[in-house]
Amino acid sequence: MAQLNLILVSLLFLTLFLHSRPTHAQLSRHHYKNSCPNVENIVREAVKKKFHQTFTTVPATLRLFFHDCFVQGCDGSILVSSTPHNRAERDHPDNLSLAGDGFDTVIQAKAAVDAVPLCQNKVSCADILAMATRDVIALAGGPYYEVELGRFDGLRSKDSDVNGKLPEPGFNLNQLNTLFKHHGLTQTEMIALSGAHTVGFSHCNKFTNRVYNFKTTSRVDPTLDLKYAAQLKSMCPRNVDPRVAVDMDPVTPHAFDNVYFKNLQKGKGLFTSDQVLFTDSRSKAAVNAFASSNKIFHANFVAAMTKLGRVGVKNSHNGNIRTDCSVI
């Protein structure tokens, strides 16, 4: 218990420390104060409308933000469509499973912003994605937080840039730490960000190796809860339609809460890269801390998201403001 309390205090201190630091370079919470003062309300209303159409808006938009920031930084390059002369990031095999509702959320929000004469062509697609991500998290019951703004849109989007840049379902802790460290993120921040899987979903082919082809006599990953493994088999029988998807949080899939971490404690992490956060002794304490307190999880998630949002930010010299988010 003493160790857990120490972890809780340390994590809370980390959160307060990060929020007390000055914002990154050109980013500011009031970047559009003069050029488009009502931009956050405009985006929020557009996102809310999309959210009421389908809950998929939440995980789709959140995942879009992660995939954008992990490749070339948070510059909206994931939003660019391919052309006959350029295969864009979104058409890389690792991005083909990105749900269309995420892209549509940004498109709708961009249209709403540009419909206001004062704001037209003033707000970047990268910033709209960052705001929309914050808004879907809040709509799902997660924390509402201030978003740093001032990103410019990237001038490059190539599928080859995605290679090796995104976490894989089978990653171990060392692989996860290495990937996140590349973006200046610590192990604790990586674990907090993994909590986004509390509202995610996955297609069967991303995890069925854990219930059918694992290297054990039973062919089932021994870190999986047996009843949960049976449920996964029933939802994803052999040769299942590849379009079938399973909630990553089987308990509260529509709530942005800390149940994801409680699931890990019970052997109910969908991916190997989820469950390893609990089975590896180096990360177990942080999982237990987040599982014990929704408040601590939310605070650390916000701090980690803020830090992630500063990765690879473009400025007026190496970026611009796109009139169409899908076209450079």
Side-chain angles (χ1 to χ4, degrees):
M1 181 61 73
Q3 183 184 18
L4 177 58
N5 288 335
L6 178 61
I7 289 288
L8 292 174
V9 172
S10 298
L11 293 175
L12 186 57
F13 175 78
L14 170 66
T15 300
L16 294 174
F17 171 71
L18 285 172
H19 277 291
S20 68
R21 297 177 67 188
T23 57
H24 182 269
Q26 79 221 26
L27 298 184
S28 164
R29 293 171 183 168
H30 309 290
H31 181 78
Y32 297 105
K33 181 179 180 180
N34 297 319
S35 59
C36 186
N38 202 34
V39 63
E40 295 198 58
N41 287 330
I42 297 171
V43 171
R44 188 177 304 116
E45 287 305 309
V47 171
K48 190 182 298 183
K49 182 178 179 180
K50 178 66 180 176
F51 170 79
H52 288 311
Q53 292 173 356
T54 172
F55 183 83
T56 305
T57 301
V58 178
T61 306
L62 185 50
R63 189 166 176 238
L64 200 60
F65 180 72
F66 280 121
H67 282 232
D68 184 40
C69 293
F70 267 68
V71 181
Q72 302 296 321
C74 308
D75 64 354
S77 54
I78 188 64
L79 303 169
V80 176
S81 295
S82 294
T83 68
H85 305 291
N86 180 63
R87 188 175 176 86
E89 289 177 25
R90 66 191 292 176
D91 286 321
H92 185 277
D94 289 347
N95 284 329
L96 293 179
S97 61
L98 290 171
D101 289 302
F103 294 97
D104 190 51
T105 298
V106 177
I107 291 171
Q108 297 299 325
K110 170 70 170 173
V113 171
D114 283 349
V116 178
L118 180 64
C119 303
Q120 189 172 23
N121 300 329
K122 300 287 181 60
V123 183
S124 70
C125 300
D127 274 348
I128 288 175
L129 176 56
M131 287 183 277
T133 300
R134 180 268 313 276
D135 293 335
V136 296
I137 290 169
L139 286 167
Y144 182 87
Y145 55 94
E146 296 293 331
V147 175
E148 297 175 347
L149 302 169
R151 301 167 187 80
F152 279 71
D153 296 320
L155 304 177
R156 171 190 175 97
S157 181
K158 293 186 177 295
D159 68 333
S160 58
D161 291 337
V162 180
N163 295 333
K165 299 290 180 62
L166 299 171
E168 297 290 340
F171 270 13
N172 59 36
L173 189 64
N174 288 337
Q175 292 170 309
L176 289 169
N177 281 335
T178 298
L179 188 64
F180 279 72
K181 185 179 180 180
H182 179 72
H183 299 295
L185 296 162
T186 67
Q187 177 175 286
T188 300
E189 290 162 344
M190 176 272 290
I191 297 169
L193 291 172
S194 296
H197 284 175
T198 188
V199 290
F201 60 88
S202 172
H203 295 97
C204 294
N205 65 336
K206 296 295 184 180
F207 60 84
T208 46
N209 65 300
R210 299 185 68 202
V211 294
Y212 291 119
N213 301 307
F214 206 75
K215 297 177 182 179
T216 60
T217 304
S218 66
R219 312 298 286 176
V220 176
D221 186 338
T223 65
L224 271 174
D225 174 79
L226 291 178
K227 289 185 178 179
Y228 183 51
Q231 291 173 1
L232 293 178
K233 283 185 176 181
S234 67
M235 290 185 284
C236 296
R238 292 180 184 276
N239 301 317
V240 67
D241 186 326
R243 292 171 296 181
V244 172
V246 173
D247 291 322
M248 300 198 73
D249 176 356
V251 182
T252 57
H254 288 182
F256 196 94
D257 54 26
N258 67 336
V259 173
Y260 164 80
F261 297 102
K262 295 179 180 180
N263 290 337
L264 299 186
Q265 293 174 320
K266 300 173 182 176
K268 295 182 179 181
L270 188 63
F271 292 162
T272 297
S273 58
D274 292 314
Q275 195 58 50
V276 73
L277 301 179
F278 183 72
T279 56
D280 194 305
S281 60
R282 295 171 294 171
S283 49
K284 187 173 184 177
V287 170
N288 287 337
F290 293 152
S292 73
S293 169
N294 208 39
K295 183 177 181 181
I296 292 293
F297 162 50
H298 281 176
N300 279 269
F301 181 81
V302 168
M305 282 290 282
T306 300
K307 193 171 176 181
L308 175 62
R310 299 168 180 167
V311 172
V313 171
K314 306 300 186 293
N315 55 42
S316 58
H317 299 292
N318 59 1
N320 61 17
I321 306 296
R322 290 187 212 133
T323 56
D324 180 338
C325 292
S326 67
V327 180
I328 294 178

